[in-house]
Amino acid sequence: MKIVDAKVIVCSPDRNFATLKLTTDSGLTGLGDATLNGRELAVVAYLQEHVCPLLIGRDAHRIEDTWQYLYKGAYWRRGPVTMSAIAAVDTALWDIKAKSADMPLYQLLGGRSREGVMVYGHASGNDIPQVSDAVGAYLGEGYLAVRVQCAIPGLGSAYGVGKDAKFYEPAGRGLPLESEWSSERYLRFIPEVLGAVRSKFGFDFHMLHDVHHRLTPIEAAHLAKRLEEVELFWLEDPVVAELQEGFRLVRQHTTTPIATGEVFNSIWDCQQLIQEQLIDFIRASVVHTGGITHLRRIAQLAELYHVRMGCHGATDLSPVCLAAAIHFGISVHNFGIQEYMPHSELTDEVFPHTYRFAGGHLYPGEDPGLGVDLDEDLADRYPYDPAYLPISRKLDGTVHNW
Ligand code: CS2
Ligand code: MG
């Protein structure tokens, strides 16, 4: 079965997405998400100029060989752009293979290990009452796990607080906005927020919080220790993860579970974190970590060290990626939780899919392949519209980690 066409479809139904579509000589097609928030066109160019021409004529069944061909053949290895491009090809080939086998993708990955994929929703607000209302809404919808984020008094903006209670898209149209940050104000306030949520709703649901790379290791250690009393499911991205050994300092001080990895793009980004058991969950995603083929390698390494999967699933990962994550998550043994930020209705129209939410879980469809399609005519009506993630600055103007 030969690849006869490889094209990248860029669209912007509420936000920008890049999608690779492969077509074989037997007429089967496969989709792969190639979206890299704020740098979408870099991946598009990488695919269009340096990958798609190499795919024409290749055997679509040779997934592992194609992965190695694109990874080793580039010479310049790793990085978010390269690995998102490889991920798109890999995901599309798995989609095609499952379709040619006439089975949903998860069956090719070893079949079900569980009935459904437990997810967490995103509760946020500008103050504690708003956050509490948002948490209550998610629990009322049957979510078993809720991430809690809140605006910080005295700061003009905060990570994770959407314009409305449910939908959160951090990338803004046009050039990057600048947001202010104060670790001191954050550290004083966020324990009060999380404590208030536990006081109101108790401990019978999983509560998560995302620090979003903003603290130093000792600040993160201080926070994680203070938060032991609220029993988080995980504290996410407490520090930036380039310095993997930096997590040792956090780990020494606390039993709060740690998650990181949504910005990772290869197993080498997380090898030390996993092998030293410095984390409890790895957040690597299908779209940014070389696709299903490479994510399975990370999962198998993680399993040896009691680390569970908690794949990234924000709205800037398209329904194609989310579908792949659900097929992966329902099958992989060391599954932990799946992030679920529902896409907009318009996005779901552009990407019709068979996965569904019920009772705090996501379920893949039973259609052959990923169970996602792309309505190209509708997609064409929403062309790319430049949008960037914010830049963060401390109160004294120093650039910080957003
Ligand atoms: C966040 C994301 O979902 C998360 O855990 O870290 O919202 C992240 O900020 C975006 O995916 C960046 O594009
Ligand atoms: Mg995050």
Side-chain angles (χ1 to χ4, degrees):
M1 181 166 61
K2 301 288 185 197
I3 298 169
V4 294
D5 187 56
K7 70 174 178 179
V8 185
I9 300 152
V10 181
C11 62
S12 194
D14 297 316
R15 63 145 291 112
N16 294 311
F17 293 110
T19 308
L20 175 68
K21 180 176 181 180
L22 300 182
T23 305
T24 68
D25 54 5
S26 62
L28 287 177
T29 60
L31 294 178
D33 186 12
T35 307
L36 184 63
N37 204 355
R39 294 298 183 272
E40 293 86 358
L41 296 190
V43 185
V44 170
Y46 191 103
L47 283 166
Q48 285 177 333
E49 302 301 327
H50 305 302
V51 172
C52 291
L54 308 185
L55 297 177
I56 306 307
R58 283 190 65 84
D59 180 350
H61 277 305
R62 296 181 64 172
I63 297 178
E64 179 67 33
D65 181 63
T66 300
W67 197 97
Q68 299 294 344
Y69 177 83
L70 294 176
Y71 180 77
K72 294 182 167 64
Y75 184 71
W76 311 106
R77 298 181 181 190
R78 300 163 67 181
V81 173
T82 298
M83 299 308 280
S84 296
I86 293 176
V89 176
D90 186 77
T91 306
L93 291 178
W94 276 106
D95 192 14
I96 288 169
K97 188 179 278 290
K99 286 176 179 176
S100 69
D102 195 26
M103 57 178 68
L105 176 58
Y106 72 82
Q107 293 291 13
L108 283 192
L109 302 179
R112 275 184 145 86
S113 296
R114 53 197 62 78
E115 284 315 303
V117 169
M118 181 175 72
V119 299
Y120 69 89
H122 282 219
S124 67
N126 291 309
D127 55 32
I128 291 176
Q130 272 190 17
V131 168
S132 292
D133 291 347
V135 172
Y138 276 104
L139 297 178
E141 288 180 42
Y143 281 78
L144 307 178
V146 183
R147 187 187 83 168
V148 176
Q149 306 292 137
C150 188
I152 307 299
L155 293 184
S157 60
Y159 165 70
V161 181
K163 295 182 180 67
D164 63 54
K166 295 210 71 173
F167 189 73
Y168 174 61
E169 171 50 66
R173 301 292 184 188
L175 296 178
L177 295 174
E178 298 206 349
S179 61
E180 56 182 9
W181 175 253
S182 163
S183 295
E184 296 77 9
R185 295 181 187 179
Y186 166 80
L187 285 168
R188 273 199 296 274
F189 184 63
I190 206 63
E192 183 183 340
V193 174
L194 299 172
V197 170
R198 279 303 193 207
S199 298
K200 181 162 186 178
F201 296 102
F203 288 76
D204 283 345
F205 75 100
H206 299 304
M207 183 163 71
L208 304 87
H209 179 66
D210 191 348
V211 182
H212 217 262
H213 324 277
R214 307 269 171 111
L215 300 177
T216 64
I218 200 64
E219 290 171 339
H222 168 81
L223 176 63
K225 191 167 182 59
R226 276 197 66 188
L227 294 180
E228 285 176 3
E229 64 189 22
V230 298
E231 296 180 16
L232 286 179
F233 182 86
W234 78 35
L235 185 67
E236 180 182 345
D237 284 332
V239 297
V240 290
E242 288 99 322
L243 184 70
Q244 294 187 47
E245 67 208 49
F247 282 71
R248 288 180 190 145
L249 209 153
V250 183
R251 206 58 161 180
Q252 286 160 5
H253 289 273
T254 181
T255 57
T256 292
I258 302 294
T260 197
E262 70 181 44
V263 296
F264 291 172
N265 52 78
S266 81
I267 198 166
W268 290 277
D269 293 329
C270 47
Q271 181 183 359
Q272 184 178 7
L273 288 167
I274 291 172
Q275 289 180 313
E276 291 189 25
Q277 299 182 53
L278 299 178
I279 57 174
D280 302 280
F281 298 90
I282 184 72
R283 297 267 292 135
S285 69
V286 169
V287 59
H288 298 137
T289 316
I292 291 163
T293 297
H294 198 59
L295 193 64
R296 295 178 88 191
R297 286 198 165 86
I298 291 174
Q300 284 150 8
L301 174 66
E303 182 183 349
L304 299 181
Y305 296 91
H306 307 291
V307 176
R308 287 178 284 168
M309 303 308 293
C311 293
H312 189 201
T315 44
D316 48 284
L317 288 66
S318 88
V320 175
C321 180
L322 180 56
I326 298 166
H327 285 279
F328 170 80
I330 209 158
S331 173
V332 71
H333 173 67
N334 54 324
F335 171 78
I337 199 167
Q338 170 63 45
E339 178 175 9
Y340 179 41
M341 267 193 192
H343 293 96
S344 68
E345 282 181 20
L346 180 56
T347 295
D348 285 347
E349 280 179 53
V350 172
F351 295 92
H353 54 264
T354 57
Y355 60 77
R356 61 184 176 83
F357 172 83
H361 294 75
L362 280 170
Y363 299 87
E366 292 301 316
D367 289 6
L370 284 171
V372 187
D373 205 344
L374 203 174
D375 182 333
E376 294 185 54
D377 293 336
L378 187 56
D380 286 346
R381 287 164 48 187
Y382 304 96
Y384 173 75
D385 185 1
Y388 289 93
L389 289 168
I391 307 282
S392 176
R393 288 186 185 272
K394 293 181 182 176
L395 299 182
D396 71 356
T398 307
V399 172
H400 194 54
N401 309 305
W402 176 75

